[in-house]
mmCIF file of all heavy atoms in Angstrom:
data_model
loop_
_atom_site.group_PDB
_atom_site.id
_atom_site.type_symbol
_atom_site.label_atom_id
_atom_site.label_comp_id
_atom_site.label_asym_id
_atom_site.label_seq_id
_atom_site.Cartn_x
_atom_site.Cartn_y
_atom_site.Cartn_z
ATOM 1 N N PRO A 110 7.539 16.740 -11.023
ATOM 2 C CA PRO A 110 6.420 16.730 -10.107
ATOM 3 C C PRO A 110 5.049 16.949 -10.813
ATOM 4 O O PRO A 110 4.028 16.584 -10.376
ATOM 5 C CB PRO A 110 6.813 17.843 -9.054
ATOM 6 C CG PRO A 110 8.252 17.916 -9.211
ATOM 7 C CD PRO A 110 8.707 17.504 -10.595
ATOM 8 N N ASP A 111 5.190 17.699 -11.977
ATOM 9 C CA ASP A 111 4.001 17.984 -12.743
ATOM 10 C C ASP A 111 3.885 17.062 -14.064
ATOM 11 O O ASP A 111 3.037 17.369 -14.835
ATOM 12 C CB ASP A 111 3.964 19.459 -13.229
ATOM 13 C CG ASP A 111 3.882 20.363 -11.981
ATOM 14 O OD1 ASP A 111 3.288 20.007 -11.051
ATOM 15 O OD2 ASP A 111 4.576 21.504 -12.085
ATOM 16 N N GLY A 112 4.700 16.085 -14.049
ATOM 17 C CA GLY A 112 4.649 15.145 -15.148
ATOM 18 C C GLY A 112 5.270 15.614 -16.507
ATOM 19 O O GLY A 112 5.332 14.784 -17.443
ATOM 20 N N SER A 113 5.753 16.885 -16.534
ATOM 21 C CA SER A 113 6.381 17.364 -17.756
ATOM 22 C C SER A 113 7.248 18.566 -17.389
ATOM 23 O O SER A 113 7.109 19.019 -16.165
ATOM 24 C CB SER A 113 5.392 17.573 -18.891
ATOM 25 O OG SER A 113 4.508 18.676 -18.440
ATOM 26 N N GLY A 114 7.944 19.047 -18.280
ATOM 27 C CA GLY A 114 8.609 20.267 -17.978
ATOM 28 C C GLY A 114 9.863 20.061 -17.082
ATOM 29 O O GLY A 114 10.439 18.976 -17.024
ATOM 30 N N PRO A 115 10.296 21.186 -16.375
ATOM 31 C CA PRO A 115 11.557 21.007 -15.596
ATOM 32 C C PRO A 115 11.652 19.888 -14.700
ATOM 33 O O PRO A 115 10.761 19.479 -14.101
ATOM 34 C CB PRO A 115 11.626 22.397 -14.849
ATOM 35 C CG PRO A 115 10.390 23.200 -15.340
ATOM 36 C CD PRO A 115 9.413 22.342 -16.076
ATOM 37 N N VAL A 116 12.924 19.510 -14.733
ATOM 38 C CA VAL A 116 13.251 18.305 -13.851
ATOM 39 C C VAL A 116 13.554 18.819 -12.481
ATOM 40 O O VAL A 116 14.142 19.909 -12.240
ATOM 41 C CB VAL A 116 14.583 17.602 -14.433
ATOM 42 C CG1 VAL A 116 15.230 16.764 -13.371
ATOM 43 C CG2 VAL A 116 14.080 16.844 -15.677
ATOM 44 N N ASN A 117 13.102 18.069 -11.396
ATOM 45 C CA ASN A 117 13.309 18.355 -9.986
ATOM 46 C C ASN A 117 14.699 17.778 -9.507
ATOM 47 O O ASN A 117 14.702 16.584 -9.296
ATOM 48 C CB ASN A 117 12.206 17.821 -9.186
ATOM 49 C CG ASN A 117 12.485 17.931 -7.707
ATOM 50 O OD1 ASN A 117 13.163 18.855 -7.255
ATOM 51 N ND2 ASN A 117 11.917 16.967 -6.940
ATOM 52 N N PRO A 118 15.836 18.520 -9.500
ATOM 53 C CA PRO A 118 17.117 17.877 -9.254
ATOM 54 C C PRO A 118 17.135 16.993 -7.930
ATOM 55 O O PRO A 118 17.647 16.106 -7.819
ATOM 56 C CB PRO A 118 18.045 19.019 -9.249
ATOM 57 C CG PRO A 118 17.360 20.254 -9.733
ATOM 58 C CD PRO A 118 15.815 19.991 -9.551
ATOM 59 N N LYS A 119 16.385 17.582 -6.929
ATOM 60 C CA LYS A 119 16.416 16.903 -5.631
ATOM 61 C C LYS A 119 15.798 15.441 -5.721
ATOM 62 O O LYS A 119 16.223 14.530 -5.056
ATOM 63 C CB LYS A 119 15.657 17.678 -4.604
ATOM 64 C CG LYS A 119 16.549 18.822 -4.083
ATOM 65 C CD LYS A 119 15.789 19.436 -2.880
ATOM 66 C CE LYS A 119 16.704 20.446 -2.272
ATOM 67 N NZ LYS A 119 16.018 21.095 -1.032
ATOM 68 N N GLY A 120 14.711 15.365 -6.573
ATOM 69 C CA GLY A 120 14.213 13.984 -6.785
ATOM 70 C C GLY A 120 15.211 13.054 -7.277
ATOM 71 O O GLY A 120 15.333 11.885 -7.012
ATOM 72 N N LEU A 121 15.999 13.599 -8.284
ATOM 73 C CA LEU A 121 17.011 12.707 -8.929
ATOM 74 C C LEU A 121 18.147 12.435 -7.964
ATOM 75 O O LEU A 121 18.870 11.391 -8.063
ATOM 76 C CB LEU A 121 17.518 13.274 -10.210
ATOM 77 C CG LEU A 121 16.577 13.025 -11.432
ATOM 78 C CD1 LEU A 121 17.030 13.920 -12.620
ATOM 79 C CD2 LEU A 121 16.673 11.548 -11.807
#
Side-chain angles (χ1 to χ4, degrees):
D111 296 325
S113 62
V116 162
N117 169 33
K119 283 192 169 173
L121 277 168

